[in-house]
Amino acid sequence: MPDGPPSPVADAGGADAPASGSAGVLTGAGVSPGVGAGPVVRVAGSVPEPAAATHGGTPEDVRAEQAAATAALEAVAADLEARGDRAAAAGNTEAREVLRAQAMMALDPGLADGIAVRIGEGTTAARAVFEAFAVYREMLAGAGEYLAARVTDLDDVRDRAVARLLGLPVPGVPRRDDPFVLVARDLAPADTAVLDPAQVVAFVTEEGGPTSHTAILARTMGVPAVVACPGAADLAEGTPVLVDGAAGTVRIDPAEAEIEAALSTSAVRASLTAASTGPGATKDGHAVPLLANIGGPKDVRAALEAGAEGVGLYRTEFLFLDRATPPSDAEQEAAYRTVLEAFPQGKVVVRALDAGADKPLAFLPPPGQEPNPALGERGLRMLMRHPEVLSAQLGALARAAAGLTVRLEVMAPMVTDVAEARAFAAACAEAGIDHPGIMIEVPAAALRAGDLAPEVEFFSVGTNDLTQYACAADRQIGALARLQDAWQPAVLDLVALTAEAAADTERGCGVCGEAAADPMLACVLVGLGVTSLSMSAPSLPLVRAVLARHTLAECRRAAVAARSARSADEARAAARSELPALADLGL
Amino acid sequence: MAQRHVKIRSKVGLHARPAALFVQAAARAPMDVTVAKLGGNPVNAKSILAVLGMDARHGEEIVITAEGESADQVLDELEAAVNVEAGDA
């Protein structure tokens, strides 16, 4: 490989993170650990509406425009079919059905007629395609809820065809044969439906905070990721990069030796991690149950494989999304039972439906316009407005747990004060749920955790929202990543207050936010008095390995040091100096 | 002209997989094929967008029309496609 012009190379592993944009290295927030190297593949952006324009008007023009439109639609259909086949080969038959239906839309005879009429009238191919799609778009959008969801599929087909006609990149993740680093402004869930984890070696996004969809997806897939990375959007297609998802760096044009060193450190870490098994505990045997965050029965297997001792956060929203009516009691009970049966010796903490804000549900619309939905009627506030939804869910949970040995705990999201905690505990008691708890996400609840503790049996700190509210920094805004950092000493203080109040009243205090997945922060949380940690399954092994190499006293010293710091970065550095075994794991 | 009334027994209605199979079967037919909800306007059965837009749901009745020698055989195939998922209902 020829050497490029000499450029100052950041010392790999140097303590001072290079400023963003320094030669050769981009710095963002590392949100999913690991190292990946490969060429950049970019996700193309949105496709603009083609201008209303006419072609030359001669019969030749009509024929040429018509041929272009037909060719574009046929190419789109063939591409979608091929994607469907690949998805099916990877075991995702559901994605194949969606993609096949989309291919049929591209070849629809009614659509073709509409395009031909418009081209015959003088409209350009791109505009004719756009307008012909619009007719069906309106029809589907006006029909029932199922069809409204198909509008997204239809728009995607339209954008693909229009992009081809305008010579623009086709939206979505391009097809590649070799492993690559996926780079985007941000990733929509739709972009990732057909991602093959064996092909994507790392994610890098310009936007998105540590709790964005990209970050969560990356951790779930076990792929290294750096988000909120300024300059990422300017990386040229094909540029070789080395991504360190723990350090948050993207090295441009890395030397072979550098890649090898990074991959070998990563491999050492993987082997040490694989060697730690069994229940979570510190080096001196202080038990810290390690639990998994799951979205439903489909995530249970990964949790068990990662050695989860139970579930610390079962997000039940997925059962309720994309439907006009709540799931039936029987459907809920069946889903809950599948999860509960998987952990006969452990515990499963279920979060009651957390709707509103960024997770609106068709059958629980907000009562009015909310200019600031994150501060609106969401979580328990929404459930209090619809008590029948809460009691149906609690009832289904109680029936699902009947006769099982698992310990079922149910917690309310977005609790602020004593009245809310009491009301939730009462609803649980009425439904026959023995172990009610609350999430600590609102700073008011953390500050007065001592008042809330007697009302319920346990706390679970949701660090993502707690950080968002404590620092007044929206989770989805990449520019605020510095403030969406659970290492902010103010956030550590709130966790400490919560854990102390729990200890005083002999209640458990877990953490189920993404902070628990940061191995160094996990040690600090244990030092602050947190009693269990719950995270995405792929993060469990490394956290288990790091905990097993530190004593409770070391964790406590790290916690004291971090709380004494005046910034998130200082807190990290202070904690690191008290946790000597991090280096063994290349952290 | 052959015509058949079919009650939709598949839970998802004439959407998703049943709709795709229905339109594929219609597209294979050599003649024009139309479909309508009982009392509604007939649409081209070979158009996935028109069939989806009809929004025929579980329990509703549709009328499929085809003309020609093999019309009965085509209608058999279409009826089977409509209720391909009725078995697990």
Side-chain angles (χ1 to χ4, degrees):
Chain A
M1 188 177 228
D3 287 328
S7 63
V9 172
D11 182 9
D16 296 328
S20 168
S22 82
V25 180
L26 302 176
T27 304
V31 292
S32 179
V35 168
V40 165
V41 164
R42 305 177 51 87
V43 176
S46 59
V47 177
E49 176 178 338
T54 51
H55 55 71
T58 67
E60 288 73 35
D61 289 322
V62 170
R63 268 197 295 279
E65 294 291 314
Q66 183 60 57
T70 305
L73 288 164
E74 282 175 357
V76 167
D79 178 51
L80 289 167
E81 280 281 359
R83 280 169 186 268
D85 290 343
R86 286 203 305 281
N92 190 349
T93 49
E94 240 171 84
R96 175 170 64 181
E97 290 196 5
V98 172
L99 291 162
R100 281 208 167 149
Q102 284 189 293
M104 290 172 69
M105 290 177 184
L107 299 180
D108 192 282
L111 181 75
D113 290 346
I115 293 169
V117 167
R118 287 172 173 80
I119 290 177
E121 290 167 356
T123 308
T124 59
R127 182 69 192 179
V129 166
F130 185 85
E131 289 181 3
F133 268 100
V135 173
Y136 289 101
R137 188 181 199 286
E138 198 175 327
M139 179 178 80
L140 297 188
E145 75 285 348
Y146 171 82
L147 289 175
R150 299 281 75 76
V151 169
T152 314
D153 301 346
L154 186 70
D155 285 349
D156 183 47
V157 177
R158 176 197 67 199
D159 287 348
R160 286 167 184 277
V162 169
R164 281 178 189 270
L165 288 166
L166 296 179
L168 296 171
V170 174
V173 179
R175 164 85 175 134
R176 289 281 294 231
D177 289 324
D178 305 325
F180 58 87
V181 173
L182 188 62
V183 177
R185 187 156 292 286
D186 203 354
L187 287 171
D191 293 328
T192 55
V194 293
L195 277 187
D196 178 356
Q199 284 225 304
V200 185
V201 296
F203 292 120
V204 179
T205 63
E206 176 107 1
E207 295 177 357
T211 56
S212 63
H213 293 296
T214 305
I216 290 169
L217 175 82
R219 281 190 293 268
T220 305
M221 288 172 64
V223 171
V226 175
V227 303
C229 184
D234 300 327
L235 283 171
E237 182 89 16
T239 310
V241 291
L242 170 63
V243 179
D244 184 333
T249 55
V250 180
R251 178 86 182 87
I252 299 166
D253 265 329
E256 272 310 312
E258 208 177 339
I259 296 178
E260 277 167 30
L263 290 175
S264 88
T265 305
S266 179
V268 167
R269 182 186 303 166
S271 73
L272 288 175
T273 299
S276 328
T277 53
T282 59
K283 192 175 174 183
D284 52 333
H286 171 70
V288 182
L290 296 178
L291 312 169
N293 293 352
I294 68 168
K298 68 179 174 23
D299 298 331
V300 164
R301 199 165 119 197
L304 289 168
E305 283 172 0
E309 295 161 55
V311 170
L313 170 61
Y314 176 3
R315 302 181 172 99
T316 53
E317 296 78 75
F318 294 103
L319 207 53
F320 293 78
L321 288 173
D322 294 329
R323 52 200 302 167
T325 52
S328 70
D329 289 355
E331 184 182 351
Q332 290 197 53
E333 190 180 327
Y336 302 150
R337 183 175 278 266
T338 307
V339 172
L340 293 171
E341 281 175 342
F343 298 93
Q345 314 302 329
K347 73 168 172 180
V348 171
V349 184
V350 179
R351 179 173 69 188
L353 178 61
D354 188 10
D358 56 339
K359 290 169 283 201
L361 296 183
F363 57 92
L364 291 182
Q369 185 73 21
E370 289 192 340
N372 205 340
L375 304 183
E377 286 200 75
R378 54 174 298 200
L380 182 63
R381 301 165 181 187
M382 182 69 98
L383 291 173
M384 290 287 132
R385 178 178 276 277
H386 300 279
E388 71 290 352
V389 173
L390 176 61
S391 65
Q393 183 176 31
L394 294 175
L397 280 164
R399 286 193 302 280
L404 301 182
T405 52
V406 65
R407 180 183 169 93
L408 168 66
E409 302 185 349
V410 184
M411 62 185 180
M414 194 75 184
V415 173
T416 307
D417 64 7
V418 168
E420 287 181 349
R422 185 173 293 163
F424 181 71
C428 284
E430 192 173 322
I433 300 287
D434 296 331
H435 308 296
I438 54 172
M439 291 196 69
I440 302 291
E441 302 165 285
V442 180
L447 288 166
R448 301 303 296 243
D451 293 341
L452 299 176
E455 304 295 335
V456 291
E457 289 204 7
F458 67 96
F459 293 150
S460 180
V461 183
T463 46
N464 303 342
D465 273 332
L466 183 61
T467 305
Q468 150 164 291
Y469 293 127
C471 300
D474 190 312
R475 286 164 64 174
Q476 300 297 332
I477 298 180
L480 300 179
R482 190 181 70 77
L483 297 173
Q484 292 145 359
D485 188 340
W487 282 97
Q488 285 281 349
V491 177
L492 299 178
D493 282 352
L494 291 170
V495 176
L497 277 175
T498 307
E500 282 163 20
D504 288 347
T505 48
E506 297 180 336
R507 260 93 179 137
C509 177
V511 166
C512 66
E514 295 298 328
D518 170 345
M520 184 159 70
L521 187 46
C523 293
V524 168
L525 293 170
V526 168
L528 290 173
V530 164
T531 57
S532 66
L533 298 168
S534 189
M535 65 204 77
S536 324
S539 304
L540 284 165
L542 186 56
V543 169
R544 181 184 294 112
V546 170
L547 265 184
R549 282 173 172 72
H550 294 97
T551 62
L552 180 58
E554 284 172 328
C555 292
R556 286 184 174 148
R557 282 199 294 276
V560 169
R563 279 186 78 190
S564 307
R566 298 196 302 167
S567 73
D569 286 343
E570 273 180 37
R572 277 192 183 83
R576 178 178 293 280
S577 66
E578 299 291 347
L579 298 168
L582 287 172
D584 300 349
L585 291 153
L587 288 168
Chain B
M1 189 177 73
Q3 209 168 48
R4 189 160 312 170
H5 289 241
V6 178
K7 183 163 169 131
I8 299 176
R9 288 181 288 120
S10 156
K11 276 218 166 140
V12 295
L14 191 51
H15 291 312
R17 197 161 84 97
L21 293 175
F22 179 85
V23 172
Q24 279 164 348
R28 279 195 303 269
M31 73 289 276
D32 285 347
V33 185
T34 64
V35 59
K37 284 213 266 198
L38 202 58
N41 290 326
V43 300
N44 184 357
K46 304 182 185 201
S47 163
I48 182 81
L49 292 168
V51 169
L52 289 178
M54 201 169 61
D55 198 15
R57 302 186 183 196
H58 175 74
E60 291 189 309
E61 191 168 318
I62 55 171
V63 185
I64 316 171
T65 309
E67 199 166 352
E69 265 179 38
S70 55
D72 276 325
Q73 189 192 332
V74 166
L75 291 176
D76 285 345
E77 275 184 51
L78 290 170
E79 181 172 358
V82 170
N83 285 320
V84 66
E85 286 184 354
D88 54 7

